[in-house]
Amino acid sequence: MKRTAIALRIFSGLDGLALITLGLFIWVGNADALITLHMSLGIALIVALWVLAALAAVSGVAPGLIVTGVVWGLLTVALGLAQTRILPDSGHWIIETLHLLVGVVAVVLTQILATRIASGPRASRDAGRAPAV
């Protein structure tokens, strides 16, 4: 399970970098031909997030983090699919910026979940607690 988490952590980091790069090309340029690739990589990222959430549940990671990963994945997909219909005119940059931020948080969540899984049950259980003095 730890190897899977590590592999998904690496994949998610690279996928996130590719998504940000493609997204910026689409946003500032005339790269509409890349939208399908961007969407496919985005779906792959969310699948990785959900797989990590499932692995985290089995590994004893804090339930709040697991629920956050699942819900954030749903939010990311919903925003990604609906963004062209939200504030379609001059205010659309707000939605594009929000989409970027939501996607970055999704990548960060994959990294956190993978790290907690790879650290083992004790590290997951103790995460967020103040160290004993």
Side-chain angles (χ1 to χ4, degrees):
M1 193 168 347
K2 289 181 183 182
R3 287 183 182 169
T4 303
I6 292 167
L8 285 172
R9 181 178 182 190
I10 294 167
F11 168 78
S12 299
L14 294 172
D15 190 33
L17 182 61
L19 280 163
I20 290 169
T21 303
L22 288 171
L24 290 174
F25 281 137
I26 293 165
W27 191 356
V28 300
N30 192 8
D32 289 347
L34 299 175
I35 291 174
T36 302
L37 176 60
H38 180 75
M39 289 175 68
S40 297
L41 291 174
I43 290 168
L45 176 69
I46 299 309
V47 169
L49 176 60
W50 287 337
V51 169
L52 284 165
L55 292 174
V58 173
S59 299
V61 173
L65 184 57
I66 296 164
V67 170
T68 300
V70 172
V71 171
W72 200 265
L74 290 170
L75 172 70
T76 305
V77 170
L79 181 61
L81 293 175
Q83 74 169 335
T84 58
R85 296 182 301 274
I86 304 170
L87 294 173
D89 296 320
S90 62
H92 188 64
W93 69 270
I94 297 167
I95 299 305
E96 291 170 325
T97 304
L98 179 63
H99 179 69
L100 171 63
L101 294 174
V102 167
V104 168
V105 170
V107 173
V108 169
L109 282 170
T110 63
Q111 302 299 301
I112 293 169
L113 284 167
T115 300
R116 298 275 172 90
I117 294 164
S119 297
R122 179 165 169 80
S124 296
R125 194 173 50 249
D126 293 343
R129 290 189 188 164
V133 181

